[in-house]
Amino acid sequence: MDTRWSNHMPAQRTLLLITASSPAIRRVRRSRVLNFQQITMPYLAAFVPPKWKVIHIDEEVSPIDITIAVDLVGITFHTPSAFHVYDLAAQFRKRGIPVALGGPHVTLMPEEAQAHADVIFVGEAELQWPQFLRDFEIGRHMHRYCSTAVPALNAVPMARKELYHRRDFTGGRLFATRGCPHACDFCAVAVMYQRKVRARPVAAVAAEYASFPGKVVIFWDDNLASDREYAKALFRSIAPYRKWWSSQVSIQAGKDAEFLEWAAKSGCKQLFIGLESISQQSMNGVRKGFNRVEEYVRVIEHIHEHGIAVQAGIVFGFDQDTESIFIETLDFLESAGVQNATFNILTPYPGTPLYQRLERGRRILTRDWSKYNGREDVVFQPRHMSPETLLEGYRYANQRFYSGTSLYRRLIRSPVGLWWTLPLNLAYALALRSARQDAAADRGELLVRCASRRSSLESVSAINASKTRSTRG
Ligand code: B12
């Protein structure tokens, strides 16, 4: 229990909520055109009693004024921003302002986070956050609030819209479900939510969906296809609003014709699918063997047949990946006519089975969390290539995917949503180019390395292809 703050409480209390970013994340995200904003703080604000004045600062938009007069600070963050947040927390705490921390990194690394905060929230906070605020008001709060059981989402409020202030080209964002039934080695979700999938009532989700003035809505679900019957009921109830939406789903969604039919009818324009890898061995190796690589083309075609674009989530660096994975993946994405892709470098987030496995094998190269960004740094020793090759292969993938030739090959193969996928691809190509120039300027380098790397990756691939041909025949 901490009773230090009770004597200092003014009549109206001010709570500063911070959606943290960090120099590392800003660098990573500057190549993303759609810089999506996070729900967490506008959502947690909806649980705060009206007697509190709530200020939200999203660090992607404005810097934190460390001298601001507030009674309490709450910060949400991901692993790459951890050190930056600890620094921020120290500055507020030095002024005597208590700091509460929560989010994925805190849930996965509670002991570390506890050392930098007055109070931490481990796991989901729908029950513990209001409890803490009550405790805080009477000056008797605990240092740690743990979600002992996963909360039901039957009666959660809508996020407070006035607290969103980032321009991200979407009209609204919400979640319908939480959790995922799978237990992929590299994913933090299975660890955080104990594989328990829960859903908000369809009517409540539809009401929030309808309440957004804008046309484009994102469902920030872990896997909107976790419960496909629920999803279909949801699609039926949001169809009348005639908005456009996108979400993340597992590959099973692409095999379910009824799911796709209702998704399309309700305005789904794009599905993000974690294909992860075109190597079945890699998928088996990280407990994602339910992704059947031989089905990818058919699944993508099936989604396209419903007029829905595909954004493929791709990860490089699995233990079975060799240098040829980069070119083979790009060849695949082009031949399948994938409209968009997000490439990631395999990153063992602390607390995941992947992290534990690599740690046991002494393959973790750094515990500098700012490097756990999945885009700029390799933090582990890959099995069949050097960290440098993995990084350059990842860069090659991005450059090739957004090159004119690839764009032409992909979009000619499947012109689904061409009117928006073409401008978006072009915007990404430009953003990537200027991010590369900025990064090169940061590093004081000339932009010559990728071109030479491309030709060396292509010669490795040519050698591999000729080896495969000779073994086959
Ligand atoms: C949507 C999403 C995004 C979006 C938007 C950002 C966002 N987080 O909303 C985008 C695409 C931008 C994104 C980017 C990234 N993401 Co992301 N993202 C998600 C996703 C799918 C949903 C998050 C969400 O909205 N949840 C709904 C809200 C309400 O829940 P919540 O944030 O967890 O908050 C609850 C509790 O954690 C708690 N809580 C959280 N913070 C706080 C703070 C306080 C004070 C309190 C009291 C409570 C509290 O209360 C809430 C209610 O229970 C999650 C998966 C997941 N389920 O967490 C991955 C996830 C959070 N992302 C992840 C990652 C790795 C990233 C990136 C690093 C990827 C990359 N390489 O760029 C970046 C980092 C961006 C950043 N700014 O730091 C990892 C995090 C792993 C980690 N250890 O940090 C996750 C868990 C995915 C995974 N499968 O592992 N992401």
Side-chain angles (χ1 to χ4, degrees):
M1 285 283 178
D2 197 327
T3 54
R4 273 179 300 160
W5 319 109
S6 53
N7 301 333
H8 308 287
M9 289 300 262
Q12 203 204 22
R13 289 146 187 171
T14 305
L15 166 65
L16 170 63
L17 293 175
I18 298 176
T19 299
S21 187
S22 61
I25 281 297
R26 263 192 298 280
R27 260 199 321 277
V28 164
R29 297 207 63 80
R30 67 187 163 194
S31 63
R32 309 302 297 167
V33 177
L34 302 176
N35 202 355
F36 296 120
Q37 52 191 327
Q38 206 166 326
I39 300 174
T40 313
M41 285 322 196
Y43 172 65
L44 286 177
F47 290 86
V48 178
K51 60 187 166 207
W52 284 82
K53 177 180 170 200
V54 181
I55 302 169
H56 174 217
I57 298 183
D58 179 340
E59 273 200 285
E60 285 281 338
V61 181
S62 43
I64 310 289
D65 173 6
I66 219 73
T67 64
I68 189 169
V70 294
D71 300 291
L72 174 65
V73 175
I75 312 180
T76 188
F77 62 101
H78 297 58
T79 295
S81 302
F83 292 159
H84 164 73
V85 166
Y86 298 156
D87 198 45
L88 267 183
Q91 296 185 57
F92 281 113
R93 296 177 82 202
K94 210 157 118 194
R95 288 181 51 218
I97 300 171
V99 173
L101 300 180
H105 188 76
V106 177
T107 296
L108 298 165
M109 298 291 286
E111 302 312 325
E112 178 190 289
Q114 185 83 71
H116 301 276
D118 296 281
V119 52
I120 61 164
F121 291 82
V122 181
E124 296 160 83
E126 273 77 6
L127 302 173
Q128 284 70 24
W129 173 235
Q131 179 60 51
F132 159 71
L133 289 172
R134 286 194 293 273
D135 294 347
F136 185 82
E137 284 172 14
I138 57 165
R140 297 178 69 80
H141 72 81
M142 297 187 292
H143 293 292
R144 185 180 292 202
Y145 288 77
C146 295
S147 160
T148 43
V150 289
L153 301 174
N154 294 338
V156 299
M158 291 185 196
R160 279 175 57 176
K161 292 188 180 57
E162 79 280 11
L163 296 179
Y164 287 115
H165 42 62
R166 196 191 295 179
R167 194 168 157 264
D168 66 356
F169 302 105
T170 67
R173 54 215 75 70
L174 75 169
F175 65 90
T177 66
R178 187 179 291 166
C180 177
H182 303 296
C184 309
D185 236 15
F186 53 87
C187 180
V189 167
V191 186
M192 291 183 334
Y193 303 146
Q194 304 150 38
R195 300 170 69 185
K196 301 234 168 63
V197 180
R198 286 136 298 143
R200 295 172 63 193
V202 165
V205 179
E208 183 161 8
Y209 184 87
S211 73
F212 295 117
K215 180 90 175 160
V216 181
V217 177
I218 310 283
F219 283 100
W220 270 152
D221 290 43
D222 301 311
N223 175 5
L224 191 56
S226 285
D227 177 347
R228 294 205 294 282
E229 292 317 307
Y230 168 87
K232 289 172 204 170
L234 176 65
F235 300 160
R236 282 192 282 272
S237 78
I238 60 173
Y241 302 113
R242 306 181 70 79
K243 292 179 188 288
W244 298 332
W245 64 266
S246 174
S247 187
Q248 177 167 255
V249 291
S250 59
I251 197 157
Q252 283 88 347
K255 299 187 209 167
D256 184 332
E258 201 191 357
F259 179 100
L260 293 176
E261 225 167 86
W262 274 104
K265 276 188 195 154
S266 64
C268 176
K269 292 285 168 240
Q270 173 162 277
L271 289 173
F272 178 103
I273 302 193
L275 295 181
E276 323 297 5
S277 179
I278 57 150
S279 153
Q280 188 62 52
Q281 286 172 325
S282 295
M283 289 292 78
N284 298 345
V286 289
R287 291 195 287 180
K288 197 161 182 175
F290 60 86
N291 264 17
R292 305 302 309 164
V293 171
E294 75 271 13
E295 295 173 350
Y296 284 5
V297 169
R298 181 62 205 122
V299 165
I300 292 168
E301 273 171 7
H302 196 203
I303 297 172
H304 286 163
E305 280 159 20
H306 287 81
I308 299 172
V310 171
Q311 174 161 13
I314 300 288
V315 179
F316 295 120
F318 293 114
D319 276 357
Q320 294 73 13
D321 287 356
T322 60
E323 280 203 27
S324 62
I325 194 71
F326 306 108
I327 286 173
E328 287 167 8
T329 304
L330 268 290
D331 289 348
F332 167 80
L333 295 174
E334 287 170 3
S335 66
V338 162
Q339 283 79 10
N340 290 297
T342 304
F343 299 103
N344 289 284
I345 299 165
L346 182 67
T347 301
Y349 285 100
T352 58
L354 174 68
Y355 185 91
Q356 286 152 6
R357 178 155 59 80
L358 294 177
E359 195 174 42
R360 279 195 303 275
R362 297 175 188 277
R363 293 168 62 196
I364 298 288
L365 299 175
T366 174
R367 286 178 183 76
D368 174 351
W369 303 140
S370 69
K371 294 193 182 333
Y372 282 61
N373 51 60
R375 308 281 165 85
E376 280 209 326
D377 297 282
V378 177
V379 298
F380 73 103
Q381 178 58 52
R383 178 144 282 162
H384 291 305
M385 61 185 97
S386 66
E388 292 73 24
T389 302
L390 175 51
L391 186 59
E392 292 192 22
Y394 159 83
R395 288 184 185 151
Y396 159 82
N398 269 299
Q399 285 178 45
R400 177 167 152 192
F401 192 82
Y402 292 107
S403 68
T405 322
S406 177
L407 219 139
Y408 175 77
R409 284 187 193 141
R410 290 184 287 108
L411 301 188
I412 203 87
R413 173 83 178 73
S414 171
V416 166
L418 197 61
W419 56 274
W420 69 270
T421 56
L422 180 60
L424 188 63
N425 268 270
L426 292 171
Y428 269 115
L430 286 175
L432 195 72
R433 194 188 164 85
S434 78
R436 245 176 24 234
Q437 281 165 350
D438 289 354
D442 289 353
R443 294 192 302 259
E445 285 173 10
L446 288 172
L447 273 177
V448 291
R449 291 177 55 220
C450 283
S452 62
R453 187 63 205 164
R454 180 187 170 122
S455 56
S456 84
L457 279 168
E458 275 170 357
S459 54
V460 170
S461 168
I463 294 164
N464 285 342
S466 75
K467 274 190 201 149
T468 317
R469 274 195 299 276
S470 57
T471 31
R472 276 194 197 133

